[in-house]
């Protein structure tokens, strides 16, 4: 019995390189038409905010900003706009590491946040009416400074919201 397993393994070992040949990259293969150039870094790629979100944020925040509160990713859907209503919140949205340390340039990050904060977007009407859109220059100034104690700082913003009577959904308060 053992011997036959060994024999089968040997056969599998011998045939597997052929079986996998299709997935081994062919270094002599030419790129698909239109794809010949070197790939531009994301900061120069010119993708839409929706695509930039998919590439840089969706992995944690999920498709509609629902996040994964059980894993410490707060829900942004229908809530994130409230940060614009409190002192320090406007800079906070830029300074969170996921945003500030992304591969996006300042203008792309400004555009992405504005896209998220639209009523039809992830913010879902939680942003103040006629909020002033972020500009690339504004993002640049916030981005330079890191938040020292992020959980405590964030809690301070949430406390300000509570004092204003803003409802805090459970998903916006992930366990520490
Ligand atoms: C590795 C996971 C991860 C990625 C990727 C990520 N984020 Fe986050 N994000 C978080 C976590 C965790 C928080 C909660 C605050 C903190 O601890 O940083 C957060 C908070 C935020 C907040 C503030 C909302 C709140 O309730 O605190 C914004 C705005 C935000 N992220 C935007 C973005 C954007 C824009 C991107 C993509 C460019 C992005 N994030 C990518 C994990 C991530």
């Amino acid at each position: 019995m053992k011997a036959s397993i060994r024999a089968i393994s040997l056969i599998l070992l011998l045939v597997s390189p052929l079986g996998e040949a299709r997935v081994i990259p062919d270094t002599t293969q030419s790129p698909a038409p239109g794809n010949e150039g070197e790939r531009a870094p994301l900061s120069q790629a010119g993708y839409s905010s929706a695509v930039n979100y998919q590439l840089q944020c969706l992995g944690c925040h999920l498709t509609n900003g629902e996040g994964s509160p059980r894993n410490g990713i707060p829900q942004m859907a229908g809530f994130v706009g409230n940060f614009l209503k409190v002192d320090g919140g406007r800079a906070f949205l830029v300074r969170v590491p996921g945003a500030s340390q992304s591969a996006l340039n300042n203008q792309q990050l400004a555009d992405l946040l504005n896209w998220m904060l639209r009523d039809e977007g992830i913010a879902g009407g939680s942003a103040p009416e006629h909020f002033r859109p972020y500009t690339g220059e504004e993002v640049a100034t916030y981005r330079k400074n890191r938040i020292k104690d992020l959980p405590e700082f964030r809690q301070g913003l949430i406390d300000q919201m509570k004092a204003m009577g803003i409802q805090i959904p459970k998903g916006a308060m992930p366990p520490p």
Side-chain angles (χ1 to χ4, degrees), residues 83 86-87 149-163 173:
F83 284 99
V86 297
D87 250 11
D149 186 343
L150 194 146
E152 192 184 301
F153 188 84
R154 186 177 186 280
Q155 186 57 52
L157 301 175
I158 298 283
D159 289 344
Q160 286 187 61
M161 291 179 203
K162 284 185 183 155
M173 295 305 293

Side-chain angles (χ1 to χ4, degrees), residues 121-139:
I122 286 171
S126 57
E129 234 179 288
H130 311 303
F131 82 93
R132 182 167 44 89
Y134 287 95
T135 63
E137 295 81 60
E138 187 187 7
V139 163

Side-chain angles (χ1 to χ4, degrees), residues 7-172:
I8 291 173
S9 312
L10 187 67
I11 291 168
L12 286 177
L13 194 72
L14 288 173
V15 300
S16 63
L18 291 174
E20 286 169 11
R22 281 159 50 92
V23 295
I24 295 173
D26 173 2
T27 49
T28 62
Q29 197 178 343
S30 49
N35 230 1
E36 294 89 352
E38 226 173 276
R39 199 171 325 150
L42 189 58
S43 60
Q44 291 161 32
Y47 295 134
S48 66
S49 294
V51 170
N52 285 335
Y53 179 84
Q54 287 170 13
L55 293 173
Q56 293 273 292
C57 322
L58 180 143
C60 288
H61 288 286
L62 304 194
T63 309
N64 302 307
E66 58 269 46
S68 181
R70 280 197 308 169
N71 300 308
I73 313 291
Q75 161 196 344
M76 296 201 289
F79 179 71
V80 69
N82 287 310
F83 284 99
L84 294 180
K85 298 174 183 163
V86 297
D87 250 11
R90 194 172 166 93
F92 175 77
L93 297 189
V94 176
R95 285 185 180 146
V96 286
S100 64
Q101 292 171 25
S102 69
L104 302 172
N105 67 35
N106 294 326
Q107 187 59 52
Q108 288 170 323
L109 184 52
D111 292 343
L112 174 51
L113 288 170
N114 295 334
W115 171 85
M116 281 170 45
L117 289 161
R118 294 168 312 146
D119 284 352
E120 327 73 76
I122 286 171
S126 57
E129 234 179 288
H130 311 303
F131 82 93
R132 182 167 44 89
Y134 287 95
T135 63
E137 295 81 60
E138 187 187 7
V139 163
T141 49
Y142 295 150
R143 213 173 174 179
K144 281 191 243 147
N145 303 310
R146 283 184 31 183
I147 306 169
K148 287 200 186 77
D149 186 343
L150 194 146
E152 192 184 301
F153 188 84
R154 186 177 186 280
Q155 186 57 52
L157 301 175
I158 298 283
D159 289 344
Q160 286 187 61
M161 291 179 203
K162 284 185 183 155
M164 292 169 70
I166 294 170
Q167 284 288 322
I168 316 294
K170 249 175 82 189

